Amino acid sequence: MCGIVGYIGTKNAVDIVYKGLQQLEYRGYDSAGIAAISGGELLLEKEEGKLINLEKHLSKFPTTQEIAIGHTRWATHGKPSRENAHPHATEMFALVHNGIIENYEEIKSELIKEGYRFQSETDTEVIVVLLQKLYDELKSIEGAIAKTFSRLEGAFSLGILAKDDPESMYLVKQGSPLVIGRGSGENYFGSDITTFAEVAKYAIFLNDGEWAKVTKDSIELWDHDGNAVKIKPTPINWTPGSADKHGYRHYMLKEIHEQPAVISKAITNFVEGNQLNSEALGVNALACEKITNISIVACGTAYIAGMLSKYFLEDLTSLPVNVDLASEFRYRKPHMLKEGKTLVIAVSQSGETADTLASIKHAKEAGCQIMSVCNVAYSSIDRESDSTLLMQAGPEIGVASTKAFTSQILCLYLWANAFSQRIGTLDQIGVEKMLEKLSSLPVHVNSAMNCEEGIHDIVNRFYEFPNFLYVGRGPSYPIALEGALKLKEISYIHAEGYASGELKHGPIALVDKHMPIVALAPKDDYYDKTISNIEEIKAREGLIIGVGDDQDQTLKRLCDAVIACPQVDNAAFQAILTTIPIQFLAYYIAVKRGTDVDQPRNLAKSVTVE
Ligand code: F6R
């Protein structure tokens, strides 16, 4: 995690770096810092807590500095504190780091034996101390950086300032993302392009093993062995999404409310008359006829979207579909991956999740085709994939994923239809029937929003309970997992999701009159069995919050409360509709409990460490 950013040019560098950090706060928000060179001095300010806490220190920098680097942290080694915040510095160098140095203990003990002292508990400080030591020995900044680079193991992107070279920023990339923004008479770097997309004309994405020297007018790039690397600039074609709350109290609430528009936009983007746009859906770039099995990899909410998609992917494609947590998949043996025949689908809102990215690389080594479903263009996962389905859901800023989740479900579903048509398991009539139902989805999503009003009574009754269970069958099972994940991450209430059929294999032991259970009960193929499970909960005095048809008298009779949800005759669309009530429920419970909804404790929007 963590975000790093830097600027060199003729403008107020600290100002620019601070604005860059605001863009990157989604990557971590437990402390932040900025270093600049001014008047031959290395200046450094850092602060614990949110980025806003750093603002009061900015006036301590002179307004004339033209070079600065900054960091916003998500703690890996050492608690969130001022001492552990970056940049870390020595007499000559200031350094910001995103990633993890796996051999830091070994290097640190060597340096301690040689008499070096450390101020922080971080893995990062060993880099800057080692750099200083090697500089003292070699008397060469570039030599010291190259040698330091060769000692480090792990994933890291580094931004470095050297006091004696105030005209240059030095960058190193291994594993963690790093991109240079080329302007005219000024240059930038950042963990992603959002920090400079509106001002720089070209992006230069560094590859693993590369390092760079950036002045305001030049960029030099080398590989790990010191050979010059030809620079390949990518023109930036960026339409900034709105990062405004538009009057909503939280980004999360705004993003929940954006779902009808996101769904409508997806229909515009991916449907042309009575056809699916297989180009925009990323089908055309794949050798579809060779594919014999599909493996989906993702983390968190994106994994749950993948899990859900298995229900309709198997049905539509008649191919075996595997769904894995990326953090597990990346270490599995590749026997399951068949060269040229397995399609690996990576699902990721941010496009930067370290485990998902590593899974793609793992699958590439096994010769698989790679497709991604991604919300961020130019992200690492987008660039690593043979084909990308860009969701175009607009920026998602609230840490808890909402509109990206429902968008992922719809995108995967439309992709599954287009792909199935390509391989011949779905005909044009099937596509047209589906499109007819799709055309009314925005209306249903809009009416699903109406549950917001009635939810406050339920929230008032249940927000103080310390535990919740969520249950569902078929495609409602992943939604139960998503409901529990949403609730726990923003309200800090302990919540678990279960397949309804699994209840009696253990979890039902938890059920008594103190346990609220959110039962997802759409009128689908599984409805009767779901109702039987709800009866079993009722018999044990569980407190049942049903999500389903509010005209459903059985549900009303069995449940302590019912959240209304429109009913449709399509499993993927129903899953989208069932999701909306559980998003509102989690959101309003968190608000009632007074937690930091958009930036919950210990989390970050983009998880760039494993
Ligand atoms: C939960 C949430 C996370 C992300 C996960 C993957 O609300 O947002 O679980 O879904 O970290 O992130 P992406 O989709 O960016 O790969």
Side-chain angles (χ1 to χ4, degrees):
M1 344 267 256
C2 304
I4 65 174
V5 58
Y7 171 81
I8 184 161
T10 51
K11 301 182 188 135
N12 182 331
V14 166
D15 240 32
I16 291 172
V17 163
Y18 185 74
K19 287 192 182 110
L21 290 178
Q22 287 176 319
Q23 300 285 335
L24 291 180
E25 219 186 351
Y26 72 88
R27 302 176 85 94
Y29 37 80
D30 64 40
S31 53
I34 293 178
I37 306 177
S38 186
E41 291 300 313
L42 208 49
L43 309 173
L44 186 73
E45 293 296 336
K46 42 193 191 174
E47 194 50 271
E48 187 182 333
K50 300 253 175 93
L51 182 61
I52 192 80
N53 298 351
L54 185 67
E55 207 174 88
K56 59 178 179 285
H57 299 296
L58 298 186
S59 57
K60 296 181 191 161
F61 287 102
T63 50
T64 50
Q65 21 63 32
E66 294 171 348
I67 179 168
I69 55 175
H71 187 271
T72 178
R73 182 169 187 248
W74 184 87
T76 58
H77 298 68
K79 61 182 180 298
S81 67
R82 197 183 168 280
E83 291 69 39
N84 290 333
H86 302 210
H88 290 282
T90 55
E91 193 195 335
M92 175 64 71
F93 299 102
L95 177 145
V96 288
H97 165 216
N98 169 31
I100 286 178
I101 305 302
E102 286 169 0
N103 59 339
Y104 88 100
E105 282 190 277
E106 174 194 321
I107 301 174
K108 191 169 179 175
S109 58
E110 280 171 27
L111 291 167
I112 288 173
K113 273 191 206 135
E114 290 182 44
Y116 290 92
R117 294 284 164 267
F118 289 83
Q119 323 287 326
S120 78
E121 305 157 286
T122 63
D123 54 339
T124 303
E125 198 183 357
V126 302
I127 314 173
V128 76
V129 173
L130 179 64
L131 192 56
Q132 179 73 50
K133 169 189 138 81
L134 293 170
Y135 175 71
D136 292 341
E137 287 168 12
L138 301 168
K139 304 285 178 242
S140 151
I141 294 170
E142 288 163 31
I145 291 175
K147 211 161 173 192
T148 301
F149 190 7
S150 66
R151 266 307 307 272
L152 302 178
E153 288 167 20
F156 47 90
S157 55
L158 310 176
I160 305 166
L161 295 186
K163 189 174 76 172
D164 283 1
D165 185 4
E167 311 275 292
S168 311
M169 306 186 288
Y170 293 89
L171 311 177
V172 177
K173 146 101 171 119
Q174 181 64 49
S176 305
L178 189 57
V179 53
I180 298 170
R182 194 170 83 184
S184 94
E186 59 183 8
N187 284 312
Y188 303 75
F189 76 83
S191 296
D192 69 31
I193 73 163
T194 59
T195 55
F196 52 71
E198 288 178 48
V199 280
K201 294 184 175 56
Y202 293 93
I204 296 151
F205 294 96
L206 273 71
N207 293 309
D208 287 345
E210 292 179 351
W211 62 287
K213 176 175 176 171
V214 180
T215 70
K216 70 184 172 60
D217 299 308
S218 68
I219 298 166
E220 289 173 275
L221 208 57
W222 298 279
D223 67 15
H224 204 274
D225 301 324
N227 304 309
V229 172
K230 195 170 166 351
I231 289 170
K232 291 189 212 118
T234 306
I236 301 177
N237 181 7
W238 182 258
T239 325
S242 168
D244 201 297
K245 280 193 203 146
H246 289 292
Y248 287 102
R249 184 167 169 195
H250 294 105
Y251 282 112
M252 183 178 173
L253 186 60
K254 174 190 166 230
E255 287 155 8
I256 293 174
H257 276 276
E258 279 174 343
Q259 291 175 111
V262 171
I263 299 290
S264 299
K265 187 168 173 224
I267 297 174
T268 311
N269 291 341
F270 302 125
V271 179
E272 282 172 347
N274 64 352
Q275 301 287 338
L276 285 163
N277 182 341
S278 52
E279 179 65 37
L281 285 165
V283 173
N284 291 359
L286 300 169
C288 297
E289 56 297 334
K290 292 193 178 151
I291 294 166
T292 57
N293 66 316
I294 296 173
S295 223
I296 300 176
V297 290
C299 300
T301 286
Y303 165 75
I304 295 172
M307 227 179 131
L308 176 73
S309 73
K310 181 180 162 95
Y311 289 86
F312 50 73
L313 263 171
E314 279 185 337
D315 199 32
L316 284 162
T317 64
S318 302
L319 293 177
V321 178
N322 216 43
V323 188
D324 272 284
L325 287 167
S327 53
E328 294 294 315
F329 177 90
R330 63 182 290 186
Y331 296 111
R332 302 235 324 251
K333 297 268 183 307
H335 305 311
M336 57 187 281
L337 305 174
K338 299 192 184 68
E339 193 176 337
K341 295 182 177 169
T342 303
L343 173 67
V344 171
I345 305 180
V347 187
S348 175
Q349 188 284 131
S350 64
E352 297 295 351
T353 302
D355 284 319
T356 311
L357 189 57
S359 296
I360 289 181
K361 291 181 179 162
H362 183 56
K364 268 187 162 178
E365 277 163 24
C368 302
Q369 297 186 57
I370 313 288
M371 195 191 107
S372 60
V373 177
C374 223
N375 197 30
V376 181
Y378 306 107
S379 59
S380 304
I381 290 174
D382 170 22
R383 287 179 293 111
E384 283 287 339
S385 304
D386 298 316
S387 166
T388 302
L389 194 177
L390 274 177
M391 290 152 53
Q392 301 178 57
E396 191 179 64
I397 294 168
V399 161
S401 191
T402 51
K403 65 173 177 174
F405 178 65
T406 45
S407 168
Q408 280 158 353
I409 298 173
L410 184 59
C411 288
L412 282 161
Y413 180 67
L414 297 181
W415 180 86
N417 276 269
F419 174 77
S420 302
Q421 192 172 21
R422 175 64 53 87
I423 62 170
T425 53
L426 182 70
D427 59 15
Q428 177 60 22
I429 295 170
V431 171
E432 284 173 22
K433 277 189 187 155
M434 182 278 291
L435 290 179
E436 202 185 317
K437 290 179 189 169
L438 177 66
S439 64
S440 54
L441 182 60
V443 175
H444 292 304
V445 175
N446 247 318
S447 60
M449 294 286 155
N450 295 337
C451 73
E452 185 178 11
E453 244 177 76
I455 225 155
H456 299 285
D457 285 344
I458 300 175
V459 168
N460 288 337
R461 279 168 68 192
F462 292 98
Y463 79 99
E464 284 179 306
F465 283 89
N467 300 292
F468 269 68
L469 293 179
Y470 285 70
V471 294
R473 263 181 190 268
S476 294
Y477 162 45
I479 306 300
L481 296 179
E482 175 62 4
L485 178 59
K486 264 334 56 120
L487 186 69
K488 73 181 99 171
E489 71 181 318
I490 60 169
S491 73
Y492 316 145
I493 291 174
H494 172 239
E496 299 296 336
Y498 284 101
S500 305
E502 275 295 295
L503 265 187
K504 56 177 86 65
H505 297 286
I508 203 161
L510 296 169
V511 176
D512 63 15
K513 60 179 183 234
H514 304 296
M515 179 64 87
I517 295 144
V518 180
L520 308 176
K523 284 229 164 114
D524 57 11
D525 296 347
Y526 309 84
Y527 175 77
D528 291 339
K529 296 206 183 312
T530 302
I531 290 295
S532 304
N533 295 133
I534 295 178
E535 293 272 15
E536 289 157 10
I537 298 168
K538 179 95 181 154
R540 284 151 186 91
E541 295 186 89
L543 298 165
I544 307 165
I545 304 168
V547 176
D549 180 0
D550 64 346
Q551 301 307 311
D552 179 343
Q553 295 311 319
T554 313
L555 202 58
K556 276 186 164 170
R557 175 178 61 77
L558 290 172
C559 297
D560 296 271
V562 173
I563 312 179
C565 171
Q567 303 296 302
V568 294
D569 174 24
N570 175 292
F573 303 160
Q574 185 61 57
I576 291 172
L577 298 171
T578 309
T579 299
I580 291 166
I582 55 112
Q583 293 174 340
F584 277 126
L585 184 66
Y587 172 77
Y588 281 110
I589 288 181
V591 169
K592 187 83 185 163
R593 289 169 71 100
T595 56
D596 188 344
V597 172
D598 281 335
Q599 294 186 325
R601 69 186 182 200
N602 306 338
L603 294 174
K605 186 74 185 156
S606 176
V607 183
T608 57
V609 292
E610 64 169 300

